[in-house]
Amino acid sequence: MSEHRLDRIVIERPRGGLRVSCKKVKGYKKSLDRITREASEEGLLKSFVIKKKYWKSRYFSDNLAPLYRWLRSYTGQSWNVVYSELCYQLDPSTLSGQHILSHVWDFVERDVIMIDDIPYRKMARYYQRSRLDEGYWGRKGKLYVHPETGILCIAKKQPQKKEQNRDDVIKCDRDRQYRKIDEIWYLVSLQAFPLKDQPFDILLQRKISDRQAWNEYGKKVYAFHKRHCTKKEIKAIMKQMKPK
């Protein structure tokens, strides 16, 4: 990529969308007025509920991949030097330069805290800090400024550990599973997370976060009920545990 054309490569890209505005379609306004009038007469809804939609015929679509590749090529260098070079090329006094610099913070995380040599966002969400080497950015590698050295680094995705087959957990269906606790089999019922607050997990005997739920159950659920398995259920469990 030619560095002196970084501003043009990112912004000057063909816009997507229709060439003709939807509001210019013949008969659109008359059809909308007719539907509104009929619905109002029948008492289905008020006339002001239906409004005209003004779609833009074209929309901007920035090509941000070259910007990410340019930033990634400077990993291992001081962020102050990288940012100075970027400002020299883009000229922040111009509108295009300011627009591209606003996209830089989508790729580079400045407020970082290191915990056991793992980068986390300094600002916690829902009382929990998010790791930079997980989630969406784990595929490409989230860039961040090291809090101690000021070096531009990349948080590479950590290799996933292979799941080991557990002999104390057997899935019954989507919302239930058998669990062996203190040599006793239980039928545990799972439920999706509520919209607010952290739920209390009856199996773990504490409130759990969504990350803990993924680690324990493989999805965002929590255990809200458990009971002893019946003899028939234990017989079915033993049958499933027999080697094939």
Side-chain angles (χ1 to χ4, degrees):
M1 178 183 65
S2 178
E3 295 182 356
H4 65 279
R5 296 184 63 249
L6 182 61
D7 55 344
R8 297 183 180 181
I9 293 174
V10 174
I11 292 181
E12 295 183 6
R13 185 186 189 187
R15 292 185 292 169
L18 301 173
R19 291 184 178 274
V20 180
S21 175
C22 292
K23 67 179 180 180
K24 295 181 180 179
V25 177
K26 188 176 180 179
Y28 169 75
K29 186 175 183 302
K30 290 183 179 180
S31 177
L32 185 59
D33 292 339
R34 179 179 57 80
I35 295 173
T36 304
R37 184 176 62 258
E38 292 177 356
S40 300
E41 291 174 354
E42 295 177 2
L44 298 178
L45 40 77
K46 296 181 180 180
S47 59
F48 59 81
V49 173
I50 300 180
K51 298 180 181 179
K52 290 190 298 182
K53 296 182 179 180
Y54 294 96
W55 290 284
K56 292 184 178 180
S57 59
R58 307 286 279 180
Y59 56 85
F60 291 100
S61 57
D62 296 338
N63 183 18
L64 301 179
L67 177 61
Y68 173 78
R69 290 195 297 266
W70 186 91
L71 291 168
R72 184 166 180 170
S73 66
Y74 281 86
T75 54
Q77 300 187 29
S78 173
W79 171 244
N80 293 332
V81 176
V82 177
Y83 189 73
S84 299
E85 177 66 21
L86 190 61
C87 292
Y88 175 77
Q89 294 188 29
L90 299 179
D91 189 7
S93 61
T94 63
L95 182 61
S96 62
Q98 294 175 7
H99 177 73
I100 297 175
L101 286 176
S102 67
H103 284 298
V104 170
W105 313 123
D106 297 334
F107 301 111
V108 181
E109 186 69 32
R110 290 174 293 177
D111 298 327
V112 177
I113 183 173
M114 303 298 294
I115 302 177
D116 297 332
D117 295 331
I118 298 175
Y120 289 80
R121 284 188 177 88
K122 196 170 185 179
M123 296 297 294
R125 297 183 62 184
Y126 304 107
Y127 308 100
Q128 187 174 7
R129 293 189 176 94
S130 57
R131 293 176 54 164
L132 300 182
D133 58 347
E134 293 183 348
Y136 171 80
W137 283 106
R139 295 185 297 169
K140 297 181 179 180
K142 177 72 171 178
L143 300 172
Y144 68 96
V145 180
H146 198 282
E148 298 177 358
T149 62
I151 300 296
L152 181 63
C153 306
I154 182 170
K156 294 184 178 180
K157 186 176 181 180
Q158 299 294 330
Q160 295 182 352
K161 297 180 180 179
K162 294 184 178 180
E163 294 185 0
Q164 297 180 353
N165 295 328
R166 299 177 56 176
D167 56 358
D168 60 340
V169 178
I170 296 179
K171 291 184 179 180
C172 181
D173 50 38
R174 188 180 65 177
D175 299 325
R176 296 183 303 171
Q177 59 180 222
Y178 297 116
R179 287 260 180 166
K180 189 178 183 181
I181 305 173
D182 296 332
E183 302 301 325
I184 300 175
W185 284 99
Y186 293 86
L187 179 63
V188 180
S189 300
L190 306 176
Q191 189 172 342
F193 263 52
L195 296 178
K196 296 181 180 180
D197 300 330
Q198 292 182 347
F200 181 82
D201 191 287
I202 196 172
L203 192 65
L204 303 178
Q205 291 298 311
R206 67 173 185 271
K207 289 186 176 182
I208 63 172
S209 62
D210 52 352
R211 187 184 300 277
Q212 293 170 338
W214 277 99
N215 294 334
E216 183 67 28
Y217 303 111
K219 53 184 177 180
K220 194 175 178 180
V221 295
Y222 70 99
F224 73 97
H225 181 264
K226 71 174 182 178
R227 65 168 176 81
H228 289 85
C229 291
T230 62
K231 293 182 179 180
K232 186 177 180 179
E233 289 171 339
I234 294 176
K235 187 177 180 180
I237 293 172
M238 298 296 105
K239 186 177 181 180
Q240 291 186 34
M241 294 183 63
K242 286 183 179 180
K244 296 181 181 180

